[in-house]
Amino acid sequence: MKKLLGLSIFIISTSISAQSLKDFSTPKGYEKITEARGDLDKDGKEETVVIFNITTKSISEDREDFPRIFYILKSTDGKQKIWQENSIFLFSSATGFYPESNAAPEITIKNNSFSIKQVFNTNSRHTQTYKHTFRFQNGDFYLIGSHSRFEDTCDFNDLNEINFSTGKVIVNHQYSSCEEDERDTPKDYHKEFVHQFKPLIKMNSFRIGENKFKIPGSDKDLYY
């Protein structure tokens, strides 16, 4: 009986919440670049995560560089409703050294969580990849995973991965040489440890690179 009562309360509260959401229609000047569908709140219904370029306001005078925004939409009575919206951790369309070759962000939905992957070049040899994963829990979306890879064409490959739910952190830096003749290169560095993240960061409070903590046994900080 308690389980049935709890389920009934959840269904009722979810229904009331959905009814209070605003209808969604694509704003003028918004260009959809990618979307994905999947169940994010375990109610058996698919939500839609969609990313847009806002083409009405380039942030650069020299080239087209559009800010981006994503929405999480719920389907209610045949209508799309705005559940969440966020623009603070998406990079603009012309970010990087070769903006014309930038791929669109990738969205994946798995295990009731969604991830957004962003890739761009920081110069002619360096590539930055970010992948952040968010899950709906305790009434909001929280950051539960961070993947950052910064790599050179031949000199180095730096990887930092964080599982915020378990606290597991992986730092892996590999070095080589772009020169044909062998030369001294830094030693590879690999460290795995557990760090307590309390409280978890809410999705709408997260900005890439504005958070850090000290790597144990090191004088270096890990930014995420």
Side-chain angles (χ1 to χ4, degrees):
M1 284 297 293
K2 289 184 179 179
K3 290 184 178 180
L4 290 175
L5 180 59
L7 179 60
S8 298
I9 293 173
F10 173 78
I11 292 173
I12 292 171
S13 62
T14 301
S15 176
I16 293 173
S17 175
Q19 290 174 8
S20 66
L21 301 178
K22 294 181 180 179
D23 290 347
F24 174 80
S25 60
T26 302
K28 183 179 180 180
Y30 278 43
E31 176 189 22
K32 183 172 71 174
I33 54 177
T34 188
E35 72 172 42
R37 296 180 180 180
D39 185 5
L40 296 175
D41 56 2
K42 300 182 181 180
D43 65 351
K45 300 178 182 179
E46 288 189 337
E47 282 72 48
T48 301
V49 182
V50 56
I51 299 177
F52 293 93
N53 282 340
I54 305 176
T55 63
T56 54
K57 50 180 180 180
S58 177
I59 61 177
S60 172
E61 296 180 356
D62 302 325
R63 59 183 178 180
E64 292 185 341
D65 187 10
F66 304 127
R68 286 173 168 165
I69 188 170
F70 76 85
Y71 292 91
I72 303 176
L73 306 175
K74 295 185 74 71
S75 181
T76 305
D77 298 328
K79 295 181 179 180
Q80 294 279 61
K81 303 277 189 174
I82 300 174
W83 188 15
Q84 296 275 342
E85 62 180 274
N86 183 292
S87 61
I88 64 173
F89 86 94
L90 290 176
F91 294 103
S92 61
S93 63
T95 295
F97 194 72
Y98 294 120
E100 63 277 2
S101 65
N102 284 354
E106 296 179 16
I107 307 170
T108 56
I109 297 178
K110 183 179 179 181
N111 297 330
N112 306 109
S113 304
F114 76 94
S115 302
I116 294 182
K117 179 181 177 181
Q118 303 179 83
V119 183
F120 57 90
N121 296 105
T122 60
N123 63 26
S124 61
R125 286 177 39 175
H126 297 166
T127 302
Q128 177 69 61
T129 301
Y130 288 113
K131 182 179 179 182
H132 295 94
T133 303
F134 302 91
R135 182 168 62 208
F136 183 72
Q137 56 190 43
N138 300 323
D140 210 334
F141 282 92
Y142 290 84
L143 177 69
I144 63 164
S146 173
H147 168 110
S148 172
R149 183 182 295 276
F150 183 53
E151 54 190 324
D152 183 86
T153 52
C154 46
D155 262 346
F156 61 81
N157 190 329
D158 296 344
L159 172 68
N160 298 320
E161 286 191 330
I162 306 172
N163 183 321
F164 294 91
S165 296
T166 64
K168 183 176 180 179
V169 181
I170 299 174
V171 179
N172 189 68
H173 297 171
Q174 297 178 337
Y175 301 95
S176 56
S177 174
C178 294
E179 306 297 330
E180 292 185 1
D181 297 330
E182 290 188 7
R183 63 178 179 84
D184 291 336
T185 59
K187 292 183 179 180
D188 291 349
Y189 178 85
H190 182 88
K191 189 176 185 67
E192 298 186 20
F193 58 95
V194 174
H195 181 86
Q196 295 301 318
F197 296 91
K198 293 182 178 180
L200 295 180
I201 300 175
K202 290 185 178 182
M203 179 183 72
N204 286 334
S205 299
F206 174 64
R207 292 179 182 270
I208 296 173
E210 292 191 358
N211 307 276
K212 67 178 182 178
F213 61 92
K214 189 73 69 178
I215 298 175
S218 168
D219 60 354
K220 296 181 179 180
D221 291 323
L222 191 156
Y223 287 82
Y224 61 95

